[in-house]
Amino acid sequence: MSGKLPIEKELEAGTYYWCSCGKSKTMPFCDGSHKGSAKSPVQFEVTEKKKVWLCTCGKTKTPPYCDGCHAK
């Protein structure tokens, strides 16, 4: 992926697509750069405005959310 530390975002309610390939220029969100690879974006829903920490290391067991595994 493109980074090691998670990215903090305040998201409005809605549908989002988290980049799982690490090639997106709009990390941590998908921009379609995965086309032609085996990777696909992870769709996730936010039901109310909230602050989240989104993974950029690609090792999380709870995509798209950071689970702290980058520190291990």
Side-chain angles (χ1 to χ4, degrees):
M1 300 267 314
S2 68
K4 182 170 179 164
L5 298 175
I7 295 176
E8 177 184 16
K9 293 285 187 181
E10 186 161 338
L11 300 178
E12 299 289 336
T15 302
Y16 296 88
Y17 295 88
W18 174 75
C19 173
S20 67
C21 75
K23 297 177 183 178
S24 177
K25 290 180 178 46
T26 59
M27 285 297 288
F29 302 108
C30 177
D31 69 358
S33 295
H34 64 278
K35 299 255 191 285
S37 76
K39 298 282 187 169
S40 296
V42 174
Q43 179 179 326
F44 68 103
E45 302 285 328
V46 175
T47 57
E48 60 186 36
K49 184 177 180 176
K50 67 179 178 176
K51 189 183 299 186
V52 297
W53 290 90
L54 300 173
C55 175
T56 65
C57 77
K59 298 176 185 174
T60 184
K61 302 273 191 277
T62 59
Y65 303 106
C66 175
D67 65 3
C69 66
H70 63 274
K72 297 176 185 167

